[in-house]
Structures are given as structure tokens and as C-alpha cells.
Amino acid sequence: MAAGRHRGPPVPGGRACAAGGAVMADSAAEGLYSRQLYVLGGGARRLSGAAVLVSGLRGTGAQVAAALVLAGTGRVVLHDRGEASVADRAQQFLLRESDIGQNRAEASRRALAELNPGVAVVAYTGELSEAFLTSFQQSPFTAQAHVVVLTESPLEEQIRIGNFCHAQGICFIVADAKGLAGQLFCDFGEHFIVNDPAEGEPVCAAVKHISKGNPGIVTCIGMEGSRGHLFSDGDLVTFSGVEGMTELNGQEPVPVQVMDAFRLKIGDTRSFSRYRCRGLVSQVRLPQVHSYKPLSQALAEPKIQVANPEELPRSRSLHAAFQALHAFREEQGRLPRPRAPADAERVLELARSLAMQPGPLDEDVVRAFASVSAGDLCPVAAVVGAVAAQEALKAITGKFLPLDQWLYFDALECLALEGVTQLTEEDCVPRGSRYDGQIAVFGAAFQELLGRQKYLVVGAGAIGCELLKNFAMMGLAAGPEGHLTVTDMDTVALSNLHRQLLYRSADISKPKSVVAAAAVRRMNPDVRVTAHQNQVGPATEMLYGDDFFRHLDGVASALDTLEARAYLESCCFRYLTPLLDSGTEGPRGNVLAMVPHLTKLLGPASAPEDHTFPVCTLRYFPHTIQHTLQWARDEFEGLFQLPAEHVNRFMADPAFPEQLPTGKAVEVLEQVWRSLQERPRDWQDCVRWARRHWQSCYHDAVAQLLHTFPPEHEVRPGVPFWAWDRTCPHPLIFNPNNDTHLEYIMAAAHLFAQSHKIPPCSDRASAQTVLRSMVLPPFVPQEGFQIHLGEEQEEVPADGERLQELTRDLRQQRQELIRGEEAQVPLMEPIHFEKDNDIHIDFITAASNLRAESYSIPAASRLMSKRIIGRIMPAIITTTAAVAGLACLEVYKLVWGCRDLSCYRNSNFSLSDCLLLRFQPPPSSVYWYCGQEWSCWDRLEMRAVNADGEEMTVQNILDWMQRTHGWTVTMLLHGFTVLYDSGENEGIRALMQKQRLSATLGNAGEPQQRVLKLEYVCEEEDAETEATRPPLMCFLP
């Protein structure tokens, strides 16, 4: 999902800062939280002024607290009266061995304070009295929102504190994880305002025409790359910037009715003026008011949220089971013993006695829940804690609909695994181990099996960090025979820190995999982990080939590109290795399990959006902010990267243009000539250059376009040239006091100075002084100027004389520079665009918005510009934690070697509306080939070794296919390399047949491999109906 399509980014509606809280005001903080801001929108500014109390610092509480600290919550108060134990370390990832015996809140505070120095983390070890809660609400830290989260409280305490919070207007959350099940409850008071209930930014579209009629018909085109609009029936919209039918501008929101992808119906427009041009139609999301019952009432009258109605009876049974568990603990002073039938039956009796729910009680669910309720599993705590943390963020930000009011989650299907069903009470008794919580569910023998696992984690980003944290807690690869490999090519960046748990500010620029592996060892010194800094792809098949994959028990994918995911899936298919693929996009996540011979192959994901645009659109006729941003990105490369690269190359090798076509050589040398002519002496020269370039782009080029195609120009009589997706622009007049104008000058001058190795300056006043002193010549239009309207790239004409002239002049300048004392090698510094570089984004934003102003396109904020041009996916810690927890539940099943498809689960969830859908993966697909049914996992396997130990030839393989399957192969391929083609002439066929496989592939330049996946075509197949064939796997000596 990481590479899927999304509607658009939320843009913060302001900036805020609170003393003692995480600062969201400066560009450094924006760089830190940018991916999260795209999820939470304008409500994110409230985070720095919020206070949250998290009570209970075992697994669930640690996950809640860590997510809130990473998100930048202003003040997080940790409460726990218990001491850290050895068993806590099966799920409490904040604790170290030295913390055993210390107060959990104090020990956790030290670890959490390191996660985000901008958050005030406080520990409290006293009683949760009304006096304390009152002081929490009225503390000197002036909080804009207060939230209380209880994770380990008995029911009596939950009710008492819940009633107090409801009366005082404090948002209240209960999050509890027991064994393989979790419970979540939210009470945000009787008058909670949701400012923005939906994901993404409100949609908008550019108006192209509005008819006079009843109803009026609005013709529009989408913004930000969408061809059509994205409105739905009933959406409320407003209009702005409409010329002609100005009565629509500033009106109260009106509902629309969708006609098609380009037309909307609105109200009666007959009395309005005639539409002339321009305008923007924008969706309006009105705040919603929601009311919630206190816990004391909601227990007896539960509103339980489910993904589909079929899940409701199960959730109601879990509702009764959790209450019965509280009653059992009150009665016995302990939780039910693992796998103790008498205890489970007593919980069931208590559940029956509650008798509150409509419909029958699912007694099997209650028994299963009770039998492992003493267990503590890191993956379950991760899921429940992540969802609870997102609800706390909703309470603070007013973004997304809160849970209404109960949610139940379980993975009790794990208890149906072969081997788990036979576990006894003796198998699950505590051993005094850090894994006792896990042993309570799966037994001691399973823990040893976990320790022997060999896993590969590909990607150490947000999901990868959470997976590795969970693996450390679970003890995966923590035994003598186990091994965990993590590989990632990237280094830690500032923007990673708010959602990638294992990294700190001191780790910036260090290899992610190395830092992550070290963090895993600190969490669990027994885990045998190795860090690689490689991409898993065709270039590294010698590293990640047959020997590597055949020793693996499983692969966990935490990749963010479709190409990388597809390649990893092909490797797991080739080597029959289980794969867990996880992805996120904003508040949405999914987990897919691929189990050999059991599930369907994952298959290709949806194709990414095409980010290319016609050249003429970018150059002359932009009509969306997407177009102006891409134009600005091209400007960046054309001004600050390519000229420097060409100058440096010419200085090193003046003959290099001879290798280019004449037209391209002239273009490159013209660029070199301009760069040398424009060499600045100081910062002031850079400001002057930026001002001249501003004039060229935003005034002269537009004026020339309008001179060639005036506003009244017609394609033919009655058909205006400036219509539909051609918006007539207007030249801009420079104003040194205009913020956008000055921001462009400062960013452009900075980059120009950097590319010429001159120290840049940030003094805006001195730049304005230089700008006011400049007098530029008036614009003089060129007659007969040709403007290319086609979509293909314009080609520079091949002017041989001009090429000779440029070459001669530039060689002379080169000699003068080499002789000069000031010459540096290289002469210029090419600047490559970086989406997290503030100056780069400043230039892109200003350049784009100036062009947008000229073409009457609504401007984009700096944050939105950064997301679009950097192709940044919205991301938040809560989603990644939840997706990793769900993936690790599937790891349990893989470790057991489960061959029952009904036990596995794929997952789709959306934290924005608190919906979680877990379902059985589709079974392996089947097809027919040559009169036989085949599974998608079936393959033909052969050892490509003759009796004499020599590698087989192509003819040997053809003979084997004929002998073993009775198929006559007419074509044999490895990828795009043709090994045999019966259509060739006899001489070529004979040459192909006697070649050995490795020699043929080596001649084709393919890397050496020991396992080859060959494709073929046979005479016996029906080409029209049998497009799929079982691959031929050849194992070379």
C-alpha cells in the first residue's frame, strides 16, 4: 500500500508552540514531523499543547506512550506503581536488564525521554486519586487537550476514573491486552467536536465553465494530477476566483450532484452573470459534534464497532469475557492459569452470569480467551497500543472520527494450530524467563523453536523498526541456531525520527541497518542479528541467492516500492520461502501472507501514478499545481545541477561534446557558455542573477507568449485559443516587498552561489537593497517567435557553424581559467535535489507558486509542495506499529509450520475510522496446462547435471522435457535471453543446442546463478487458452 494512490495531503492550518512541548514552529520541526503532518493535517498543531496520562507501563502502555512521544505530544505523564520484572521484557521494549526491580514508570521515562527531547516526559508512582487527576488537568503546563489512557487497571478503577474524566471533560481511553485478545474503549465526553472526520485534504477542482440554468452545470478538471474531479454526491462546496459569474464567489457552501468525471450540478444559476473564466470549486468539511457515554453506562449498553455485522456476536462474547475476567481476578486475586480447564470454566460461568448481551454467548470463544488470558504477547500489545495511541491523537487533534465506543480484537485462531491444541497446563507454566508471557500461550517448546528461526528483514524503515522490535521481544532468532539478517541501503534522516522507533538524533547519517541491529541487541542480547547495507535485487543475486534463501525460514518485507516488493516476492517463490508483506499509507495498513503451496501468490500491486506531463503543458499551458511544481523541479535541475555538471565535464575533457549529436552538443555548450559568462564574484551578483532570471521567467516569457497568442486569439472563427485546459496567463510585476518574490530571490541566489562555490547569505534586507538598485531593460517582444505546441520534446536544430564557434570560444575561456589563480577543480558544484533540504524546497515552492499566480492556479503550501514534488507518502508511527504487530501474529503460525489455510490471516485496516478487517488469504490458484491441473506453486525441477557430473547442455534439457513430460519444446528462455528457438535455421539451432546453460547466459551478460527459472513454449499447448505454464527450475552444479 505504500506506493498506492491517495487523494492529497492535509496541510497544517497554522503553527503553534508551547513551553515544555514539542515545537512545531520552525523548519527543523517541520522536517521532523512532515510525514505525520500529512496524516493529521491542521490539527497537528495542537499536539505540542496537549497532556496525556498513560497508566500501566507494561506492553500496551509502553506502545501507547512511545507512539505519543514520537508524535510530539507536549507532555506525557507515565503512571505505574509496579516494579519491572523479568517477564515484562517479553513485550515492554523500553526496559533494559538493569531496570529489573525498578519502578516501571521511572524506568520507562528514561527511555522515552531519549526518543524525543522536545516532549516533557514525567513519571508518577502514586495513586490515581481525584486530587491527582485534578492537578493533572490544572497543571502549570497549560494544555489544550487532556487525555487519560488506562492499560492495566482493574474494572473498579476504570469505572471510577472514567466517571471523573467524563464529568471533567477529559478524554478517557481504556486499552487492555490479554493473551491473544485486546479491548479498547473511548469516552470523549458529551460534546466532542471532530474538526475534520476524513482522510486527506478537502478536494478541489479548476472551473472551466458554469452554465446558466436550473440546475447550473459546473464543468471542471481535477487538481494535483487527477484528470477528473474527485467529488461525491452530497459534498458541500464553495467557489472562489470565478470571473463573470462572481455571485458564486464567497457564497455559503452548496451541495453538488455528480454527473460524470467532469461535471457537477449545483443550484439555480439563471439569475447570475454569465461565466467568463477561471475559478476554483472546493469541498468544505464541516465540523461534527459527537456524544459518548461514560464507561459505567457503556458496559451495560455497549456500542461495539465491527468491520462487518458477522463479527458482532464474537465481539459481544469478548465483551462479556473481559468483564468475566475482571470478576475472576477480583474473586481469585489472580488471572486464570494457562491451560487450566477449571479456571477457564469458572470464567465462562461468570460470563454467563453477566447475561447482558443480546444473542447467545459464544462459549468456545470465552474458553479460548480465558485459557491464555495470563499470556503477554508483544504483537497483540503492539496492535492494541497503536490503535489506542491513534485514538488519543484523535482526541487531541480533532482529526478523524473517534471510536464509538468499543472495539475488540483477537487472534484466537492461533489456538487452532496443530500442536497448540495439545498443549497442557504443564507445558505453559512460568519458567522464570523473559518469555513467560509467550510461553503461557504457546508453551516452552515453541519458544525454543522461535529461537532457532532464520529470518530476513528487508527494509529498516518505519515498518522494519517495528518488526525488529517485536522480533527482539518475541525471541525470534535468539537461540544458538537462530539468525536474523536485516538489510537496508539508506541512512538515518531527520524525518525518520518521529516514526522509526530504533533511531535517535545522534544516529542521523548512520546506516539504518547497522543502527537497527545494535538496537535489537540492546533490547535482547541473545538475538543473533547481522546488518547488511545492500539492496535485494538482480545486482545482489550472488549475495542473496540459492545458498542464502534455502537456509531461511521466512522473509519479512518492509519495502516501500512496488518494484522491490515484486522482486522479493519472485525470490520467495523461486526458493519456496514464506513471505510476509506489510505496507502503510497514512492511517491505512495491510499485511499479506504468502505461504508456499498454501496461499495465492501476492501478484502485482496497483501501478503507481504516472507523474509525467506533456512538455507543452509544463512550458506554456499549466492548469494544476502539479504542473507548476514539476516545472519548478525541472528549473531546479536546469539551473543548479546540469550546468555545473556540464561545466565540470568540459573543464576536464573539452572533447566530450564530440560524442553527442550536433543539436545536443550545441545545447550543452550553450549552457556551459552561459554558466561561464554568468560567473558571480560575490553574493550581490547572485542576487542580481536571481532577479534577472525572475524577470525572464515570470514577466518576459509570459509577455512573449501573450504577444504570440493574445487573449482574444482564436484557433478558428468562434473557437478561442485560450479555452478548456489552456488558461490565459498574465505577467507578474516584481515587488521586493512581496514575500513570495523575495523568497524566490533568496532561495535562487543561495543555490546559484552554492553552485559557484560562493558563500551564500541570508540577509533579506541587504538583498532588498540590491534589488531596489537594479534597473532592468524593458521587454521587447520578438516577432516571428515560434512556440512549439506539440507534446514531444523540442529539438535543438543541428547548427554546425554555431557548434564550431562555441567550441572555439569555450576552449579559449577554459585555458584562461586554468591559467588563472582563482580556478578551482571542479569549477562548479552540481546540486542534486533533496526533498528534505529546506533551501531546495523553498526554491521549488516559490518558483511553483509564482508560476501558479501567473496562470491563476491556487498556490500550494510549502508542506504540500514538498509532499507532491518529493512524492512523499503520509506516515505515522501508530499505523506502522499496528501493521508490524499483525505481521508478527502470522510469524507465530509460520514458526509452527502451520499447513491449515484457515489459521492464516491477511489484514486491512484504517485507523482513521478504527476499522480492522482480518480474513483468510486466498488459496493457491490453479490452472490447466497440457491437459493437467497445476497449482501456482508447482514447478518442474531438474538437476542440470549429466551422469559424468558435467553441466547439461540446452539439448539435454530439451531431451529431459520430452522424456519426463512428453513435451516438445519449441522455445526456451531465461528472462529475455533466448536459449533455444525452433524457428531459427538449422545452423543456429545446432549452436544453441550444444551450449551449456551457464555459458549461454554468461555470453548474454547475465549474472551467474545456481538456480535458474526457465520459461518455455511447447508444441502440445493450446496457445490461446494456456498462457500460464509451470516454470522449469534448473539447479546447476
Side-chain angles (χ1 to χ4, degrees), residues 647-703:
V647 166
N648 292 344
R649 190 172 179 188
F650 182 82
M651 293 296 292
D653 177 16
F656 94 88
E658 297 173 5
Q659 307 165 20
L660 305 173
T662 302
K664 183 65 177 176
V666 170
E667 180 183 355
V668 168
L669 290 182
E670 290 276 14
Q671 202 172 58
V672 173
W673 186 85
R674 282 195 303 272
S675 296
L676 296 180
Q677 291 297 112
E678 295 171 340
R679 288 188 72 205
R681 295 163 299 174
D682 51 28
W683 164 250
Q684 287 76 12
D685 276 354
C686 297
V687 173
R688 295 184 186 98
W689 171 88
R691 173 66 181 90
R692 290 193 298 272
H693 194 72
W694 190 102
Q695 190 74 9
S696 172
C697 289
Y698 303 111
H699 182 275
D700 295 357
V702 176

Side-chain angles (χ1 to χ4, degrees), residues 77 546 591 643 696 1017:
V77 179
D546 177 57
V591 177
S696 172
V1017 179

Side-chain angles (χ1 to χ4, degrees), residues 961-976:
M961 292 284 282
Q962 181 69 56
R963 184 173 62 254
T964 308
H965 297 282
W967 298 342
T968 303
V969 175
T970 57
M971 183 171 286
L972 188 65
L973 307 99
H974 180 263
F976 294 105

Side-chain angles (χ1 to χ4, degrees), residues 875-913:
I876 191 166
I877 178 62
T878 49
T879 312
T880 53
V883 84
L886 291 168
C888 288
L889 287 171
E890 303 311 301
V891 171
Y892 287 137
K893 303 163 189 178
L894 292 173
V895 172
W896 271 108
C898 175
R899 303 305 304 164
D900 183 351
L901 182 64
S902 67
C903 291
Y904 287 97
R905 296 290 183 272
N906 286 349
S907 300
N908 284 327
F909 67 85
S910 171
L911 296 186
S912 60
D913 41 19

Side-chain angles (χ1 to χ4, degrees), residues 78-119:
L78 310 176
H79 170 259
D80 199 307
R81 307 188 75 180
E83 294 181 348
S85 66
V86 171
D88 286 337
R89 300 193 70 206
Q91 55 173 340
Q92 222 288 25
F93 53 90
L94 300 172
L95 299 177
R96 298 190 181 183
E97 191 170 354
S98 58
D99 295 324
I100 304 303
Q102 299 185 35
N103 177 268
R104 272 191 291 262
E106 290 286 358
S108 300
R109 185 199 65 79
R110 291 190 289 271
L112 288 169
E114 295 177 0
L115 275 182
N116 192 340
V119 173

Side-chain angles (χ1 to χ4, degrees), residues 252-430:
E252 291 296 311
V254 296
V256 298
Q257 182 180 346
V258 174
M259 297 179 67
D260 55 36
F262 297 94
R263 295 183 301 164
L264 305 168
K265 289 182 181 179
I266 55 174
D268 190 348
T269 59
R270 289 175 295 181
S271 63
F272 294 168
S273 306
R274 186 171 300 279
Y275 173 82
R276 190 156 56 85
C277 63
R278 298 194 176 97
L280 188 72
V281 54
S282 304
Q283 180 190 26
V284 176
R285 294 176 182 165
L286 299 179
Q288 299 179 5
V289 178
H290 291 258
S291 179
Y292 301 90
K293 296 178 182 178
L295 178 63
S296 54
Q297 294 181 32
L299 278 168
E301 305 167 10
K303 293 173 67 176
I304 302 176
Q305 190 159 310
V306 292
N308 57 67
E310 292 79 13
E311 295 178 3
L312 189 56
R314 185 182 188 91
S315 291
R316 285 173 174 162
S317 296
L318 286 170
H319 183 73
F322 267 91
Q323 291 183 70
L325 187 67
H326 282 292
F328 182 95
R329 194 168 193 171
E330 178 72 18
E331 176 184 280
Q332 302 288 334
R334 59 174 175 83
L335 290 172
R337 288 186 297 271
R339 305 285 174 173
D343 285 358
E345 287 301 320
R346 179 55 185 155
V347 172
L348 178 58
E349 290 174 10
L350 291 168
R352 290 192 190 111
S353 68
L354 294 172
M356 293 182 295
Q357 65 170 46
L361 184 71
D362 190 328
E363 297 189 353
D364 290 338
V365 167
V366 177
R367 282 194 193 92
F369 165 77
S371 70
V372 294
S373 59
D376 293 316
L377 298 178
C378 176
V380 176
V383 174
V384 176
V387 179
Q390 185 66 55
E391 293 304 304
L393 294 176
K394 292 178 185 178
I396 296 167
T397 64
K399 176 69 175 178
F400 303 138
L401 289 174
L403 171 64
D404 187 23
Q405 285 189 267
W406 293 95
L407 178 72
Y408 286 91
F409 162 79
D410 78 88
L412 293 173
E413 75 276 357
C414 291
L415 299 181
L417 299 173
E418 186 179 354
V420 179
T421 54
Q422 282 81 42
L423 290 175
T424 65
E425 186 175 352
E426 184 179 349
D427 294 324
C428 301
V429 295

Side-chain angles (χ1 to χ4, degrees), residues 185-209:
F185 170 77
C186 292
D187 169 18
F188 291 178
E190 296 180 2
H191 190 83
F192 181 78
I193 298 175
V194 180
N195 295 303
D196 188 353
E199 292 180 40
E201 185 76 350
V203 299
C204 59
V207 176
K208 291 302 171 183
H209 186 262

